[in-house]
């Protein structure tokens, strides 16, 4: 059970608690309590062993391909969370004996997780146990565990078995060679394992410290070296009432780390640096390292916190939970890596990046941490190699971005087969890698938004223009001429709604593609006007005259689905011929994908039923395409047919409803976003948290209720709090200047905390704010 002790004390809206241990519910807590720093993520699997645990240690960028029949994925590094305690010969585990006063709490303020309990051994003797953990935000390579055990009913002999365990896999796929294992100076454990295909050396260095009632202890100790395992066994006598504390510190380095990029000695350097780092970490000890990490988190919150005054204190916790995960999902200074759909919190989606990044998460970074946003777009720039490869393989021009992306030059990595088909009993083919193509226009949209907010000309010159032009070249080759319509059309795609395959003229895809082409034409105009080195380079690469001609010819005659007499924009050709079915059982199932119990893909494709927002995402991204009444009609029409079986759906509905003045509906969808990872359905996050949903929660608060929107090159702020909220305060960065927006009831204030003036459109009125100035309306 998850519990939110909201309102009970001051810090309650920072805390997420698990109040009892249930062996069947481990997955969710492992994911939502996951700790990390963007470089690595460590799931919160418990120290002792249980059936159903998933111990994951994932390091950004270390992708490996297990064999030719699989796509690459983030490998699961050897585990360091294991810590087996034998108390007078009896293994501590909560599925034996009796557990009382159990709590496991994630404190979002410092990113720390603490578990405490009283355990009664089957023979009746009681022990107090406390486990704490951090993954350092101050030094991304460091993580630690501190375990404390106090025998309450008599002296005890405690035996510890713990180490670096390479016997983990990614659901069965072993990504590492056996590796090099050794103990150095009788104290430091080293395991260096190399991935089987990508040849990335991953180095783990671990060391222990022991204390008896606060005094450093030197126990009897044996090294243990076994197949894919390196550890220690230590034995202690612990008098009744005294506390044995075990600190386990680990340093993770890999040859893929940014600092070794391109170095031929990367593996040796990673191992040497890892050893030096664990030596110094061991000197400092758990307490100091945890404190340093806490300080780094405090600095993050100081800048990033969003404060929500709501009748329902859970809202505040939810927003902070999203900010916490947004802060640990990607290494923000590494342009070689993207954001996985599950971040680094689990094996789901194999660490691959989707459109989730550009459409759901990137806006958060663009508007709060533009440097990180630039790094994410630089990742797409580096991905042009794979995008061009994909275009060529499919017979197109330009750059066609992979639906799923991993390492920069991997190209398309979407798997070909999924779960079981209820009708045929065979695995379902996954077509998204081939025909879900809007991702290319989504990346261009990300570039557009970044430029509008930051005005970062250097980025455009180095990366942005080239992305816009080459993606537009793809679209110009992708549209085909339809004689009957007298227009260019896009046939055979999957739009955002993945419950519809092989559709023609998906409205979202067509409009976004045309937007992409417009951006490319503007880019070439800009470059011609400004002249200079970038223009010369890109003109030599693309031949602007030919490029303009090809793109404009298609763009001007591109088919764009229009609203019918009833105001509804067809999601794709022939949409209204689909059968309407009763969706009540699936809307109320409390579980995503319930419709698959009754129908297979082929059947679902024939119904008016949607997995997620599709046409509505378009209406949100392109505010001014359709008048308000058309948006309202489409909102209610499509929402009634949408199952929200993707975590990407509810936030779109929340923001759009807020825009349309449908406050209560907007708030209901905001609450729905809370259910995705923090809700009572304990199975939903087993494979990792939903990173797009974290970005979506930010969008609900800032776009939806904060009323923030980037229109052209202007920042509009027109807040409209839901009934349950009386206050909202959030940071923004506009043109490099930090702002803080505070909304109280109907009053909105914007403070310019930067050094240069900024212009904002506050509640429809143009307002220039000098440095340090606050405007209120
Ligand atoms: C959704 C996609 C999304 C992917 C990764 C799928 O279930 O339908 O829109 O990109 O998950 O989050």
């Amino acid at each position: 059970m998850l519990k939110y002790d909201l309102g009970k004390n001051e810090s309650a809206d920072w805390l997420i608690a698990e109040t009892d241990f249930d062996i069947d519910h481990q997955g969710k807590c492992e994911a939502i309590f996951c700790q990390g720093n963007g470089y690595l993520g460590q799931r919160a699997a418990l120290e002792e062993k249980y059936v159903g645990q998933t111990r994951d240690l994932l390091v950004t960028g270390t992708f490996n391909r297990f064999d030719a029949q699989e796509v690459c994925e983030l490998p699961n590094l050897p585990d360091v969370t294991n810590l087996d305690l034998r108390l007078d010969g009896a293994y501590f585990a909560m599925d034996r004996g009796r557990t009382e006063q159990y709590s496991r709490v994630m404190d979002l303020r410092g990113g720390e997780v603490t578990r405490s309990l009283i355990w009664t051994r089957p023979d009746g003797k009681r022990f107090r146990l406390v486990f704490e953990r951090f993954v350092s935000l101050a030094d991304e390579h460091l993580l630690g565990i501190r375990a404390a055990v106090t025998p309450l009913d008599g002296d005890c002999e405690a035996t510890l078995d713990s180490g670096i365990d390479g016997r983990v896999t990614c659901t069965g796929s072993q990504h590492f060679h056996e590796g090099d294992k050794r103990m150095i100076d009788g104290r430091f454990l080293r395991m260096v394992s190399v991935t089987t295909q990508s040849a990335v050396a991953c180095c783990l260095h671990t060391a222990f410290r022991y204390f008896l009632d606060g005094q450093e202890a030197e126990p009897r100790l044996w090294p243990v070296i076994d197949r894919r395992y390196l550890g220690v066994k230590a034995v202690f006598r612990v008098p009744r009432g005294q506390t044995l504390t075990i600190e386990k510190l680990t340093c993770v380095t890999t040859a893929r780390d940014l600092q070794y990029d391109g170095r031929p000695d990367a593996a040796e350097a990673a191992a040497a640096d890892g050893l030096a780092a664990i030596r110094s970490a061991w000197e400092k000890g758990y307490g100091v390292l945890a404190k340093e990490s806490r300080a780094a988190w405090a600095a993050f919150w100081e800048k990033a916190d969003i404060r929500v005054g709501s009748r329902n204190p859970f809202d505040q916790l939810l927003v902070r939970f999203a900010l916490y995960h947004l802060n640990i999902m990607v290494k923000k200074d590494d342009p070689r890596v993207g954001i996985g759909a599950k971040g680094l919190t689990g094996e789901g989606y194999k660490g691959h990046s989707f459109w989730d990044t550009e459409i759901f998460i990137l806006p958060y970074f663009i508007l709060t941490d533009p440097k990180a946003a630039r790094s994410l777009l630089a990742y797409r720039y580096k991905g042009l190699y794979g995008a061009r490869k994909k275009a060529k393989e499919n017979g197109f021009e330009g750059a066609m971005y992979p639906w799923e992306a991993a390492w920069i030059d991997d190209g398309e990595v979407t798997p070909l087969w999924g779960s079981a088909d209820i009708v045929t009993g065979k695995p379902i083919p996954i077509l998204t890698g081939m025909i879900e193509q809007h991702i290319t226009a989504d990346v261009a949209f990300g570039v557009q938004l970044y430029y509008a907010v930051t005005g970062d000309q250097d980025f455009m010159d180095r990366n942005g223009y080239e992305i816009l032009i080459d993606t537009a070249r793809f679209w110009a080759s992708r549209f085909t001429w339809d004689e009957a319509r007298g227009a260019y059309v896009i046939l055979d795609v999957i739009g955002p709604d993945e419950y519809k395959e092989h559709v023609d003229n998906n409205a979202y895809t067509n409009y976004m593609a045309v937007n992409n082409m417009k951006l490319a034409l503007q880019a070439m105009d800009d470059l011609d006007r400004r002249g200079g080195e970038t223009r010369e380079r890109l003109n030599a690469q693309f031949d602007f005259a030919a490029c303009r001609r090809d793109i404009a010819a298609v763009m001007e005659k591109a088919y764009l689905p229009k609203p019918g007499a009833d105001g509804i924009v067809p999601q794709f050709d022939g949409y209204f011929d689909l059968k309407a079915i009763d969706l009540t059982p699936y809307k109320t199932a409390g579980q995503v994908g319930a419709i698959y119990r009754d129908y297979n893909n082929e059947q679902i494709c024939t119904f008016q039923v949607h997995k997620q927002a599709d046409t509505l995402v378009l209406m949100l991204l392109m505010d001014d395409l359709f008048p308000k009444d058309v948006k309202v009609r489409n909102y209610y029409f499509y929402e009634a047919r949408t199952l929200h079986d993707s975590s990407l759906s509810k936030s779109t509905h929340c923001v759009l409803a807020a825009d349309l003045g449908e406050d209560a509906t907007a708030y209901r969808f905001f609450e729905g976003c809370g259910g995705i990872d923090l809700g009572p359905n304990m199975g939903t996050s087993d494979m990792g948290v939903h990173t797009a949903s974290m970005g979506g929660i930010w969008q609900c608060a800032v776009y939806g209720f904060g009323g923030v929107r980037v229109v052209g090159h202007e920042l509009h702020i027109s807040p409209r709090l839901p009934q349950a909220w009386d206050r909202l305060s959030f940071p923004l960065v506009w043109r490099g200047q930090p702002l803080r927006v505070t909304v109280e009831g109907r009053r909105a204030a914007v403070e310019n905390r930067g050094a240069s003036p900024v212009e904002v459109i506050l509640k429809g009125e143009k307002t220039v704010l000098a440095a340090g100035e606050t405007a209120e309306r």
Side-chain angles (χ1 to χ4, degrees):
M1 268 286 284
L2 288 174
K3 187 168 160 216
Y4 314 106
D5 260 335
L6 296 158
K8 294 236 175 88
N9 65 53
E10 234 175 64
S11 54
D13 45 23
W14 292 97
L15 308 178
I16 302 169
E18 183 193 39
T19 51
D20 52 65
F21 171 69
D22 184 334
I23 199 161
D24 293 328
H25 293 165
Q26 294 177 88
K28 178 158 202 140
C29 292
E30 287 172 359
I32 65 173
F33 291 174
C34 179
Q35 295 167 304
N37 49 35
Y39 166 72
L40 65 82
Q42 180 174 256
R43 265 169 88 90
L46 296 176
E47 286 77 3
E48 64 282 6
K49 295 188 187 76
Y50 298 99
V51 170
Q53 252 169 354
T54 307
R55 295 179 185 269
D56 279 335
L57 175 60
L58 303 171
V59 177
T60 187
T62 53
F63 290 104
N64 185 63
R65 190 167 182 188
F66 169 69
D67 73 11
Q69 290 168 25
E70 295 195 3
V71 294
C72 70
E73 67 184 321
L74 277 185
N76 187 10
L77 266 66
D79 168 64
V80 288
T81 54
N82 63 83
L83 205 146
D84 280 336
L85 280 172
R86 206 182 261 245
L87 304 170
D88 293 327
Y91 270 119
F92 160 66
M94 296 182 292
D95 52 0
R96 273 162 250 174
R98 196 168 70 240
T99 299
E100 287 156 304
Q101 298 178 33
Y102 177 89
S103 84
R104 179 156 59 143
V105 180
M106 155 64 82
D107 187 338
L108 298 170
R109 273 172 305 193
E112 288 167 292
V113 178
T114 306
R115 173 169 59 128
S116 57
L117 58 114
I118 306 277
W119 184 59
T120 307
R121 228 167 42 188
D123 68 0
K125 282 202 173 163
R126 293 173 310 137
F127 299 83
R128 172 176 299 117
L129 293 122
V130 179
F131 298 86
E132 297 162 276
R133 279 186 195 190
F134 72 89
V135 168
S136 180
L137 194 65
D139 178 340
E140 64 192 14
H141 301 283
L142 289 179
L143 40 134
I145 292 182
R146 181 158 66 187
V149 50
T150 314
L152 300 176
D153 295 326
D155 300 354
C156 151
E157 184 182 77
T159 310
L160 165 76
D161 265 297
S162 182
I164 307 174
D165 184 358
R167 294 160 175 169
V168 289
T169 64
C170 288
T171 38
S173 293
Q174 174 54 264
H175 285 282
F176 291 98
H177 294 296
E178 163 87 45
D180 172 30
K181 299 161 291 192
R182 67 178 86 162
M183 188 182 236
I184 298 168
D185 298 345
R187 172 167 294 153
F188 303 108
L189 305 177
R190 161 184 285 180
M191 186 184 282
V192 177
S193 353
V194 180
T195 55
T196 52
Q197 167 266 332
S198 53
V200 179
C202 295
C203 317
L204 286 137
H205 289 88
T206 292
F208 293 87
R209 285 178 80 162
Y210 316 94
F211 300 86
L212 197 55
D213 253 15
Q215 295 297 311
E216 190 124 22
E218 291 288 338
R220 281 202 295 146
L221 195 143
W222 300 268
V224 182
I225 297 189
D226 206 339
R227 191 173 185 194
R228 293 186 185 273
Y229 181 82
L230 166 66
V232 293
K233 189 187 267 292
V235 181
F236 308 84
R237 285 228 56 84
V238 190
R240 172 170 168 250
Q242 292 200 11
T243 299
L244 166 69
T245 304
I246 299 156
E247 296 183 359
K248 181 179 186 183
L249 303 170
T250 296
C251 175
V252 181
T253 50
T254 86
R256 267 275 154 92
D257 295 357
L258 190 55
Q259 62 265 40
Y260 312 123
D261 194 33
R263 272 175 60 173
D265 65 339
E268 296 76 27
D273 289 352
L275 180 60
I278 195 67
R279 284 185 198 280
S280 112
W282 189 87
E283 292 293 335
K284 286 184 176 175
Y286 183 100
V288 172
L289 298 170
K291 196 167 157 203
E292 289 173 359
S293 174
R294 225 176 285 139
W297 272 105
F300 164 75
W301 288 115
E302 177 71 28
K303 276 216 312 236
D305 194 21
I306 294 181
R307 287 183 277 278
V308 177
S310 172
R311 274 208 303 266
N312 179 2
F314 176 77
D315 297 350
Q316 171 70 82
L317 180 69
L318 176 62
V319 171
R320 285 184 174 143
F321 172 73
L323 292 172
Y324 168 83
H325 277 286
L326 283 160
N327 196 35
I328 65 169
M329 63 177 64
V330 65
K331 184 163 156 56
K332 295 175 207 145
D333 61 350
D334 188 344
R336 306 165 311 158
V337 297
I339 299 176
K342 305 284 186 186
L344 300 167
T345 69
E347 294 167 30
Y349 290 120
K350 300 178 162 37
H352 298 171
S353 305
F354 296 68
W355 74 311
D356 306 33
T357 303
E358 279 71 21
I359 303 302
F360 294 85
I361 305 169
L362 189 63
Y364 161 75
F365 285 110
I366 290 178
L367 278 154
T368 63
D369 186 352
K371 253 171 122 178
R374 178 168 173 162
S375 180
L376 285 164
L377 287 168
Y379 166 69
R380 291 301 193 183
Y381 179 74
K382 288 175 188 290
L384 275 175
Y385 168 82
R388 287 173 179 144
K389 192 165 88 178
K390 182 173 174 186
K392 210 180 226 150
E393 281 165 7
N394 286 274
F396 301 117
E397 302 289 318
M400 178 189 194
Y401 273 101
W403 175 244
E404 295 188 26
W407 188 240
I408 30 183
D409 51 15
D410 283 335
E412 183 59 73
V413 293
T414 305
L416 294 177
W417 300 99
S419 54
D421 181 318
I422 186 87
V423 176
T424 66
K426 293 184 190 158
I428 302 174
I430 300 177
L431 302 177
T432 49
M434 285 167 265
I435 60 172
E436 187 152 0
Q437 296 170 355
H438 59 85
I439 174 80
T440 295
D442 302 332
V443 171
F445 182 85
V447 172
Q448 176 186 14
L449 185 65
Y450 175 77
Y451 188 37
V453 173
T454 61
D456 183 350
Q457 194 58 48
D458 182 65
F459 164 77
M460 292 307 287
D461 287 339
R462 285 174 197 269
N463 304 162
Y465 290 130
E466 190 173 336
I467 295 178
L468 295 180
I469 297 170
D470 223 15
T471 46
R473 290 178 67 235
F474 159 69
W475 288 116
S477 70
R478 176 62 178 86
F479 275 89
T480 49
W481 181 250
D482 178 339
E483 196 55 52
R485 261 198 175 116
Y488 283 99
V489 294
I490 302 182
L491 306 181
D492 194 18
V493 295
I494 297 177
D497 166 25
E498 294 185 347
Y499 282 175
K500 297 287 162 289
E501 294 176 340
H502 298 299
V503 302
D504 298 337
N505 294 310
N506 167 251
Y508 179 89
T509 306
N510 286 25
Y511 278 98
M512 291 292 281
V514 165
N515 180 60
N516 192 162
M517 292 194 283
K518 251 188 220 155
L519 292 171
L521 294 180
Q522 277 165 14
M524 286 185 278
D525 289 350
D526 273 7
L527 285 163
D528 280 348
R529 209 173 34 248
R530 290 178 45 241
E533 191 272 325
T534 308
R535 195 236 166 231
E536 291 320 304
R537 177 173 58 86
L538 294 178
N539 187 36
Q541 189 177 342
F542 296 120
D543 180 359
F544 283 4
C547 214
R548 267 204 185 93
R549 192 188 52 230
D550 295 348
I551 294 173
V554 175
M555 197 185 88
E556 279 154 20
K557 293 207 164 135
Y559 171 65
L560 294 170
K562 296 279 177 324
D566 55 358
I568 308 302
V569 178
Q571 189 172 302
F572 47 80
D573 286 355
Y575 176 85
F576 299 111
D577 302 335
L578 302 184
K579 203 160 105 197
I581 61 164
D582 178 16
L583 297 179
T584 323
Y586 314 116
K587 280 210 169 229
T588 52
Q591 196 152 21
V592 299
I595 193 168
Y596 276 110
R597 293 195 202 135
D598 296 334
Y599 302 105
N600 73 0
N601 259 3
E602 238 170 87
Q603 295 165 316
I604 294 170
C605 280
T606 64
F607 304 143
Q608 285 187 3
V609 54
H610 310 293
K611 178 179 183 184
Q612 63 204 99
D614 186 306
T615 311
L616 296 186
V617 184
L618 176 68
M619 296 192 173
L620 183 59
L621 298 183
M622 298 200 191
D623 253 355
D624 48 2
L625 270 187
F626 303 104
K628 186 171 169 190
D629 65 306
V630 168
K631 288 200 253 187
V632 173
R633 281 169 193 242
N634 281 272
Y635 185 90
Y636 285 105
F637 178 86
Y638 282 114
E639 200 287 311
R641 291 158 177 78
T642 300
L643 297 178
H644 307 292
D645 279 354
S646 157
S647 65
L648 279 60
S649 197
K650 288 183 177 162
S651 63
T652 303
H653 283 81
C654 168
V655 180
L656 203 54
D659 275 4
L660 299 173
E662 306 280 324
D663 272 15
T665 309
Y667 186 66
R668 186 163 55 79
F669 276 111
F670 171 74
E671 289 185 308
C673 290
I676 292 169
D677 285 299
L678 287 186
N681 183 342
M682 294 300 283
T684 50
S685 313
D686 287 3
M687 300 297 278
V689 302
H690 303 79
T691 54
S693 169
M694 305 301 167
I697 291 167
W698 178 85
Q699 289 196 23
C700 293
V702 172
Y703 278 8
F705 306 135
V708 168
R709 206 55 49 85
V710 178
V711 183
H713 284 251
E714 289 174 343
L715 173 63
H716 287 240
I717 306 174
S718 292
R720 51 211 153 206
L721 300 187
Q723 253 206 340
W725 292 16
D726 56 15
R727 197 166 190 283
L728 170 68
S729 151
F730 56 89
L732 290 178
V733 179
W734 179 256
R735 299 286 149 76
Q737 307 307 305
L739 313 178
R740 191 156 265 271
V741 180
T742 306
V743 191
E744 275 174 20
R746 293 174 176 279
R747 304 293 296 167
V750 185
E751 181 191 351
N752 179 359
R753 294 184 170 180
S756 306
V758 290
E759 186 183 285
V760 302
I761 315 292
L762 183 57
K763 292 196 171 170
E765 272 182 55
K766 195 171 271 187
T767 312
V768 178
L769 284 169
E773 203 184 340
T774 301
E776 202 178 326
R777 198 148 289 138

